[in-house]
Amino acid sequence: MEVSELDKYGICDGISEIILTSGMKNPNAAPIGLIRKDNRVFIRLYRGSTTYENVKQDEVFAANVTCDPLLFIKSTFSNLEDEDFKYHPLNSKSIPLLKNSATSVIFICDEIKHTKQAMTAEIIPMGAVANDYLPRAINRGLTAVIEAAVHATRYKLTGNNEFLDLIDRCLETTYKCGGQREKDAAEILLNEIDEIKKHVDGGKDTE
Ligand SMILES: Cc1cc2nc3c(=O)[nH]c(=O)nc-3n(C[C@H](O)[C@H](O)[C@H](O)COP(=O)(O)O)c2cc1C
């Protein structure tokens, strides 16, 4: 499969936020940014995640394209349910995909480089699946709740309270512009932040 064909599956030039599914025996899902530039595609996976361990071991995964805020937020902080996954064969392996994504593209890792904090890999598309898909206008409530989730992962990593202000500002937009699914995703995110706060501040709530 050519990199240029990825346009048809929603993975365009720039950074595409997808849900990466990996792990043959225990499927795992997490939001990851795919970097497409000059007809090549890359990922950077930070150490410490299940995704990092799975991709390091199997060197194969699926990138699932979806605009569902609940899938994004749930997979950021915990795993999805078994029934959210289905499997696709590739060279006698069985690759987990998300059942309810618009499209899924299977990638293998080509050139892997390890640094202290992360691994980066050039990734090669091997095949793709397109499901029923309805067009969706840009919704600022959706983009804002995804942005808040990125700040939340950084808050978890650093404990820096500045991220809490950024999250609040993002979620203001979500409550103003989002639909019910975006607002439900925001609620889950706020509950997760409360949990993270307890660990960040050594068991004390930072408020
Ligand atoms: C929109 C979005 C994009 C993300 N992109 C990346 C990424 O490119 N690389 C990475 O290592 N983590 C990224 N993360 C953070 C991981 O999703 C997060 O650490 C997650 O908890 C890992 O889950 P896992 O342990 O189940 O793999 C991103 C998070 C969000 C919300």
Side-chain angles (χ1 to χ4, degrees):
M1 184 178 172
E2 298 293 325
V3 168
S4 58
E5 286 178 69
L6 290 175
D7 285 340
K8 279 195 301 206
Y9 297 95
I11 298 173
C12 303
D13 202 29
I15 300 180
S16 296
E17 308 301 345
I18 52 84
I19 297 184
L20 189 154
T21 45
S22 62
M24 318 274 172
K25 289 199 189 96
N26 299 308
N28 184 74
I32 297 292
L34 291 198
I35 306 148
R36 180 172 160 193
K37 194 169 185 260
D38 300 332
N39 228 26
R40 298 169 74 188
V41 195
F42 303 89
I43 45 170
R44 175 178 286 118
L45 300 176
Y46 291 96
R47 282 179 197 269
S49 70
T50 305
T51 301
Y52 173 96
E53 293 301 334
N54 286 347
V55 174
K56 189 173 138 202
Q57 182 179 304
D58 300 331
E59 300 189 0
V60 61
F61 64 86
N64 302 275
V65 172
T66 174
C67 286
D68 185 342
L70 283 175
L71 288 178
F72 266 96
I73 302 306
K74 285 181 183 167
S75 66
T76 302
F77 299 107
S78 54
N79 203 10
L80 300 178
E81 306 294 329
D82 280 348
E83 60 257 28
D84 291 320
F85 296 93
K86 65 180 180 184
Y87 290 87
H88 192 82
L90 181 83
N91 304 337
S92 76
K93 287 178 180 161
S94 198
I95 318 294
L97 313 181
L98 283 191
K99 236 185 230 168
N100 292 323
S101 61
T103 66
S104 301
V105 180
I106 296 174
F107 286 92
I108 57 167
C109 298
D110 187 17
E111 201 162 304
I112 300 180
K113 289 186 186 136
H114 290 275
T115 66
K116 232 177 171 182
Q117 290 162 347
M119 66 177 262
T120 54
E122 178 160 6
I123 54 173
I124 312 293
M126 301 301 290
V129 181
N131 300 315
D132 278 347
Y133 170 66
L134 292 174
R136 195 176 170 190
I138 289 173
N139 178 283
R140 289 174 54 218
L142 171 66
T143 53
V145 75
I146 302 299
E147 193 65 15
V150 174
H151 294 315
T153 59
R154 291 181 180 155
Y155 174 61
K156 191 175 178 181
L157 216 61
T158 64
N160 185 338
N161 283 339
E162 280 173 24
F163 289 115
L164 297 177
D165 295 334
L166 292 171
I167 291 166
D168 281 347
R169 266 191 259 159
C170 288
L171 294 187
E172 261 177 45
T173 305
T174 297
Y175 285 114
K176 204 159 40 169
C177 306
Q180 196 53 50
R181 273 184 102 73
E182 284 74 26
K183 289 173 190 165
D184 290 347
E187 284 302 310
I188 296 173
L189 194 145
L190 285 172
N191 287 335
E192 292 294 340
I193 293 289
D194 283 343
E195 285 306 306
I196 296 167
K197 273 183 190 168
K198 291 179 194 162
H199 301 287
V200 161
D201 201 36
K204 270 192 288 152
D205 200 309
T206 50
E207 270 183 348

